[in-house]
Amino acid sequence: MEIINKLIDKSALATLIERFTKSGKEVFAPVKSKGISEFARVETIQDIDFETIATKQSAKSLVFPKVEKILSYEKTFDDVIVNNVDYTQFPEVIAFGNRPCDAAGFIPLDAIFAGELVDEIFKARLEKLTVISISCKKADDYCFCTSVNGGPGNTTGSDILLTETTADEYFVEIVTEKGKAILDANTDLFKDTAAIDKTPFLAKLEQQFTQEVINEKLNGIFESDIWDKQAMRCVGCGACAFVCPACGCFDIQDETKGKNGVRHRCWDSCGFKIFTLHTSGHNPREKQAQRWRQRIYHKFSYQPEQQKLFGCVGCGRCSRACPSDMNIAEHLKEIAVL
Amino acid sequence: MEDIKKLARELLADNKVQLVLGFENGTANRVRPAFFTTPEAVDKLIYNEFCIQNIALYLKKDICQHAASLAITANPNVVRSILQLAAENQIKEEKIKIIGITHEGKCVGLLDFKAAEEFSKTQPKGLKDEDKALIEKIQAMSLEEKFDYWVEAFSPCIKCYACRASCPMCYCGKCNVESNNPQWIPVAPHKYGNMEWHMMRAMHLAGRCINCGECNRSCPVDIPLNILSYMLSDFVLEEFESEAGLSAVFTPALSSYTMVDKENFIK
């Protein structure tokens, strides 16, 4: 649909959030606790951290939690009874105050989970999710959304995008039908406006490379020694993948007690040695460098080939979380000039 | 810092080592581990108050395993790690040159293991005031309150295993949590999965942890794992008069038995 432009002032925004929570919707927004900003359930606008550039973890757990029960089972004398999770009963969730990069992250996740094969649980969560993002006024040394087709005021993946134009007012872009449903139910809170140029209100972020160039370069450097060089200091943890808004790999874990059991889906990471370990003991990605290479190829070569999109939104969370300062933008820049 | 660089350059130029493990500048005001193989490359080597990552971790990685000999810029945490790794037969004295650096950042030159042991004794492990306050708070709790505190503290864990991956003492080729037949520890990062994982890791490190705090520093969700390890170390010191990281010849309390071991904890 065509974007609808509106204005909303901050007290009206507070009312909007109150109306969400009062109508039974669960609102998740960045909340600062003990110095760390993370997405958490909020009741009022006062709970929300509007300042932090990026929460430590992404908003992906709203549709792809770190652990979720997908079914339970019970062994009987001659059968197994399987009970799937009732995914028709998920609550309506509002992601509020996330950044445009977080919103963009839902698109590659959707391609992974609801592409050729549809994951009903994921799909049900995503259908119940409305994304109200806020444009970025600031960027830090880790941000690189403008190098991966994103931007501090990008609407991709958002249902509504808010851009702070004055101390008291946001410029509102209603992007999707879900966004329009919110507008229609709350017309008293929004004011009419013509489209505005958002540029003066957005962070300035220089483009360092293009994802198309990375994609092209990857065609000839699978055996390059660059992977060894870049991955030398990688400690082999999964922090990068787990904080990434676009990483969708998971592990299935059954926990059985007596005749009953539960099947869980949990986050997994291609950075782990065990991720590709075969039963025979052979590991096709024996070295950390091969696992690092996989991370880059998956996002910039395999996903473009298979799903016609890139698996990185340039939020920089992996670089911020890395215990040994593996900076993905810096590494991609190195690849771009090979 | 210049004396550290001079030493590193000489070691490489005289072919005394093939590799120097140290730090270079990273993103913005961060520093990062770096591997220097030529005297010229050492121009980029730095050492400052931000160089707190425990780079002894890399001694067990391929790059260091493949080097015939190497040097390492070693603050007191790194020195203690090296001694403990040596005590556990993970590194040989003839392979490693320790460039000793005090808590204040002063280079004390090359340390052999004997000198490293002396150095360790003069460089006590430090705790931040907020860490001390947290320890006091936890110590004042009842057993039930302690249990609840840690269940809550572990709950944000996402099982990225950065604590394990960043720990110089977590060098097992196959971690217990990766064993799935039988499955000792639940993989799922739910309440009990997190609890069991961190309890298991803490017990495997009790009496071996050198208290560098890297587990907490690397944790993306900021779980105070360093506090847990610190309290366990204190407990082991009190009960067994045993402290890791002070000597290259050392048997961890929980891997050994002596006739004077107290048995008063068996109730």
Side-chain angles (χ1 to χ4, degrees), chain A residues 82-154:
Chain A
V82 175
N83 294 305
N84 287 311
V85 158
D86 182 5
Y87 48 80
T88 60
Q89 299 303 312
F90 289 146
E92 294 266 349
V93 173
I94 309 272
F96 181 88
N98 57 277
R99 300 298 175 193
C101 52
D102 263 308
F106 293 119
I107 308 225
L109 281 183
D110 191 28
I112 292 167
F113 285 98
E116 232 171 289
L117 281 171
V118 176
D119 184 295
E120 298 291 351
I121 299 175
F122 174 89
K123 204 178 118 195
R125 285 195 203 276
L126 192 62
E127 273 170 8
K128 292 277 177 76
L129 178 75
T130 306
V131 183
I132 306 180
S133 316
I134 299 183
S135 299
C136 300
K137 288 189 288 183
K138 296 178 288 186
D140 70 8
D141 293 303
Y142 300 94
C143 294
F144 64 103
C145 58
T146 51
S147 303
V148 288
N149 279 13
N154 201 294

Side-chain angles (χ1 to χ4, degrees), chain A residues 147-200:
Chain A
S147 303
V148 288
N149 279 13
N154 201 294
T155 55
T156 311
S158 296
D159 296 303
I160 296 177
L161 178 67
L162 307 174
T163 304
E164 195 182 57
T165 48
T166 71
D168 191 48
E169 202 163 53
Y170 286 95
F171 171 62
V172 185
E173 290 167 275
I174 312 281
V175 187
T176 65
E177 292 297 338
K178 270 187 196 168
K180 191 166 177 296
I182 288 177
L183 170 68
D184 291 346
N186 300 280
T187 43
D188 57 319
L189 300 178
F190 294 89
K191 286 180 274 186
D192 290 336
T193 180
I196 64 154
D197 174 17
K198 290 185 289 180
T199 325

Side-chain angles (χ1 to χ4, degrees), chain B residues 21 54-61 64-65 70 72 77-93 96 98 113 166-172 205 207-210 244-250 252:
Chain B
L21 181 48
N54 191 343
I55 52 173
L57 161 80
Y58 294 99
L59 295 174
K60 292 295 293 171
K61 300 274 185 203
C64 294
Q65 293 285 306
L70 60 96
I72 182 168
N77 284 335
V78 175
V79 173
R80 282 207 309 280
S81 305
I82 293 168
L83 289 173
Q84 186 59 25
L85 285 169
E88 297 181 15
N89 300 316
Q90 297 303 313
I91 187 148
K92 288 197 163 69
E93 186 167 13
I96 188 164
I98 305 170
F113 278 5
S166 299
C167 175
M169 295 310 143
C170 267
Y171 53 74
C172 291
L205 285 163
R208 297 175 56 240
C209 171
I210 57 90
L246 295 179
S247 172
V249 183
F250 172 79

